[in-house]
Structures are given as structure tokens and as C-alpha cells.
Amino acid sequence: MRINKKLLPLVTLSAVLVGISGCSQRISALNDTIKLAFIGDDDVKLTTEQVKANPYASIYAKLDDTPRAFIALAFAEPPITLSSVRPTPDALELKWLSADKGMLVTINGRLVRTHNLLAGNLVTVASTQTDPILLGLHLSSTPKTWTRTLDWQPDYHFGYTASSQFNFIAEENILINDTPTQALHFSEMVSIAALDIHYQNEFWIKPNNGQVIKSRQKIAPNLPFIDITLLKPFAS
């Protein structure tokens, strides 16, 4: 097995799923018949039937030029603090865990933290404003600007202000595991004025409810992009 020394390849979880029951957590072992190992030099490709047969929420994730991987949901729980991205009341943090113990944490598709990625990690996203991604970019009432602070490592970058401008690109038909899916494509222009850094995130959302079904997001200003495709959504 060859591993890119700069970027952590993402692979499947074959351990646990944590569900929410009130304020408590319930741990269930993943079914032994769903042991999928995807470490290698090629992108993972599951059939629609394989995705449907897996009872757990799942995503594809691809970190820059590393192979695409299939990852199952590990945890679903309320956000750690109500100030992280000013979440909506029903928002949950979804924690996607790789066999390498790398973790992606998302709220409605927005990457809010990472852990144990070799390239570096997004530590905190904090804002007094609700992320437009959580409010639903498909709604005309949703603000199309957002300001927050970012903390990331290595080199201990803390408290940098990031300003975003969201723009509607087009209605598009995209393929989600070979299934044509209607989506609204939005870009997010992000500026870190203190570092003179600018980059563009991309989000594809469902027209009826604003759920992010595909995205390309920069982990942090000095870190790589990650592509995430939602294969099977979490159902509480």
C-alpha cells in the first residue's frame, strides 16, 4: 500500500455508528457483512445497489489528488457549542471516521472540523451569524454573505476572519453514484484579508430543502481542497 505522505487517504469505517436518542448516545456495531476495504491507488466505485444495501449514511471523499474513498458515518450528535457556526436548532454534527482515524465533521455538508489529517486540520469555525448553508441557499430570504473566524493547524493559525460571498451558478443535473440528480450549484468566494488569500468553495444543493449533496471545500486557507459527495443521507 502506498500512502501520500502529505495527505491522509480516507478509507471506510468498519467499527461503530452512534445514534441520537434524546441527549443520550446509542452505539451499534456495523453489520459484519458491510466490511468494505478501500485502500489503494484507484478511486472507489460502488454500485447503486451496494450503497442502498448499506444501512448507514455514507459519503465519497477525495482529498486533492488522493484516491476517492467511501466512508460511513461514525457519529451524529448535537454541535459541541452553539457558537461554532450558529447552527439551526435541529442541526447535527455528522462525524465521518476513516480507518486511519482521520475524521471529517460536517453540519449540513459544511466542513466545520477535521482531526488527524496529515496535511493539517481545521480546528474551529466560529461565528455569531448562522451559516447560509444551514439556513438554505435555495431560499430568497437567506443572506448571501457570511463572516466567521477560522483556526487551523499546523503553525497555530488562530482567529483569522474569513468573509464569504455566495453566488448562484446554475441549475444542474449531476451524477450521484450514476444516478442523475437535480441540484442548484452555488459558489462561495472566501477572502482572508489578513493573509491576502482568496479561494472558491463549491456547493450543490437539493432544490426542495437546501441539503448539500456535493461540495468542494478548502479545509483551511493553507490546506488542500476536499471533494465530498453524499451517497446516503443520515436519517435520525
Side-chain angles (χ1 to χ4, degrees), residues 140-218:
S140 60
S141 59
T142 297
K144 298 303 187 288
T145 60
W146 186 43
T147 301
R148 73 277 198 191
T149 59
L150 302 176
D151 303 337
W152 71 94
Q153 296 175 329
D155 300 328
Y156 303 100
H157 299 279
F158 292 105
Y160 282 89
T161 298
S163 300
S164 290
Q165 173 71 52
F166 294 88
N167 295 293
F168 174 65
I169 303 300
E171 291 188 26
E172 297 177 0
N173 265 333
I174 61 175
L175 287 178
I176 303 291
N177 212 40
D178 292 333
T179 300
T181 304
Q182 187 178 12
L184 302 179
H185 180 189
F186 284 84
S187 67
E188 179 190 19
M189 303 300 299
V190 183
S191 298
I192 316 292
L195 299 176
D196 193 26
I197 290 177
H198 310 273
Y199 56 89
Q200 181 171 309
N201 293 330
E202 307 283 342
F203 295 92
W204 288 262
I205 68 173
K206 295 180 72 172
N208 62 328
N209 62 11
Q211 181 182 42
V212 175
I213 54 178
K214 183 179 177 181
S215 66
R216 176 173 173 79
Q217 303 176 59
K218 201 164 182 59

Side-chain angles (χ1 to χ4, degrees), residues 13-19 25-28 30 56-58 71-77 93-98 102-104 234:
L13 169 74
S14 59
V16 296
L17 174 81
V18 173
Q25 297 180 349
R26 185 175 67 251
I27 301 178
S28 302
L30 283 178
Y56 304 110
S58 57
I71 307 178
L73 181 67
F75 302 93
E77 54 195 8
E93 283 190 348
L94 301 185
K95 299 181 177 181
W96 312 89
L97 184 66
S98 75
M103 181 181 284
L104 309 177
F234 172 70

Side-chain angles (χ1 to χ4, degrees), residues 65-83:
D65 59 354
T66 62
R68 183 180 68 187
F70 172 91
I71 307 178
L73 181 67
F75 302 93
E77 54 195 8
I80 291 176
T81 69
L82 292 179
S83 62

